[in-house]
Amino acid sequence: VRMLRKLLCPKLVGVSKRASSQGLASAASYVGVRASTPWQHVVHAQRGMATRADARPGGGPDKNKWKAESKIDNATAVKKMRDKAEEGDVGSQYTLGSALMRGQLGLMKNTREAGEWLLKAAEAGNVHAQFSYAMLLNEGDGMPKDQVNAVKYWTAAAESDLAAAQYYLGCAYQKGAGVERDDAAAAILFARAVAQQHEQSSLKLATCYISGHGVEQDYPRAVNLLTKPA
């Protein structure tokens, strides 16, 4: 061990000098921490690169200041997004509706208003808005429950190959919820979602092969679906 230290120490001193000349030491001092060894220079430099410019001496960022600035940033971003949504920007309509649906970006959860924005984006062809609006309709969240129209918007999103929409539409066909029951159609939709690595659809399609609903009974295929890696 002593021999290794003798061999390594001169090299580490050289590393320290090179690191200092390359700005690693200054990066450490930038976050307000003094480094006394070569490895401390490297560690503190890495921290400096991952820390905000308003970091406090000896530690991480000022959390209260960061939260206050985040609220201001969110409010500014939301205002711009709302303005664009009102001007007819489909992406902004979806993002605003999604944020209201989940209570994100500093907004209070409001599924009624979320539904209004998601409907606008869904009617304009936004696939994710179609899916989200269908979920609100299916659950009756912020609006009257309407499984028929939920199927309508899931179908639109499923036709654009959104795996989650294919899964929920398949479930609707399997249950006869909002649409006439059709086990074969359900199995086809699950298979399309499985092709996109949708795990819940793998389970559903496996049960179809076990029960023989919508497909010919096939235990080996069911086992393969249940055991294949995600």
Side-chain angles (χ1 to χ4, degrees), residues 96-137:
L96 179 57
S98 183
L100 287 163
M101 182 178 175
R102 297 173 175 82
Q104 295 174 336
L105 299 179
L107 294 169
M108 292 289 290
K109 183 176 179 179
N110 186 334
T111 51
R112 181 193 60 76
E113 187 183 357
E116 294 173 0
W117 288 114
L118 290 171
L119 176 58
K120 290 178 184 292
E123 288 296 314
N126 185 288
V127 175
H128 297 286
Q130 290 167 346
F131 173 75
S132 296
Y133 186 63
M135 295 299 290
L136 291 177
L137 286 168

Side-chain angles (χ1 to χ4, degrees), residues 183-184 186-188 191 204-218 221:
D183 290 330
I188 290 169
K204 283 287 189 180
L205 186 57
T207 60
C208 291
Y209 280 118
I210 291 169
S211 64
H213 289 157
V215 293
E216 289 187 15
Q217 201 169 51
D218 191 330
R221 282 193 178 184

Side-chain angles (χ1 to χ4, degrees), residues 171-187:
C171 290
Y173 273 110
Q174 202 172 52
K175 297 173 184 175
V179 66
E180 186 176 347
R181 178 168 177 167
D182 188 334
D183 290 330

Side-chain angles (χ1 to χ4, degrees), residues 44-230:
H44 293 316
Q46 289 173 335
R47 287 178 181 170
M49 286 184 280
T51 307
R52 289 170 55 88
D54 59 354
R56 293 173 295 167
D62 184 332
K63 292 182 179 179
N64 291 330
K65 182 179 179 182
W66 184 84
K67 286 180 180 178
E69 289 179 353
S70 294
K71 287 181 180 179
I72 294 171
D73 291 343
N74 279 342
T76 302
V78 168
K79 184 182 184 305
K80 289 181 179 178
M81 181 170 56
R82 190 180 287 277
D83 289 343
K84 290 183 70 176
E86 289 173 350
E87 291 169 4
D89 183 77
V90 177
S92 297
Q93 291 170 344
Y94 164 68
T95 305
L96 179 57
S98 183
L100 287 163
M101 182 178 175
R102 297 173 175 82
Q104 295 174 336
L105 299 179
L107 294 169
M108 292 289 290
K109 183 176 179 179
N110 186 334
T111 51
R112 181 193 60 76
E113 187 183 357
E116 294 173 0
W117 288 114
L118 290 171
L119 176 58
K120 290 178 184 292
E123 288 296 314
N126 185 288
V127 175
H128 297 286
Q130 290 167 346
F131 173 75
S132 296
Y133 186 63
M135 295 299 290
L136 291 177
L137 286 168
N138 187 60
E139 296 164 10
D141 192 355
M143 60 190 68
K145 186 169 183 173
D146 187 344
Q147 291 181 314
V148 172
N149 271 312
V151 166
K152 170 187 170 182
Y153 288 101
W154 275 331
T155 299
E159 287 174 351
S160 296
D161 268 345
L162 188 67
Q166 291 166 346
Y167 168 75
Y168 279 99
L169 183 59
C171 290
Y173 273 110
Q174 202 172 52
K175 297 173 184 175
V179 66
E180 186 176 347
R181 178 168 177 167
D182 188 334
D183 290 330
I188 290 169
L189 286 160
F190 293 143
R192 287 175 62 187
V194 167
Q196 299 182 66
Q197 314 301 318
H198 193 267
E199 291 184 21
Q200 291 170 293
S201 294
S202 292
L203 178 58
K204 283 287 189 180
L205 186 57
T207 60
C208 291
Y209 280 118
I210 291 169
S211 64
H213 289 157
V215 293
E216 289 187 15
Q217 201 169 51
D218 191 330
Y219 292 129
R221 282 193 178 184
V223 171
N224 182 55
L225 284 162
L226 294 171
T227 58
K228 70 177 182 180

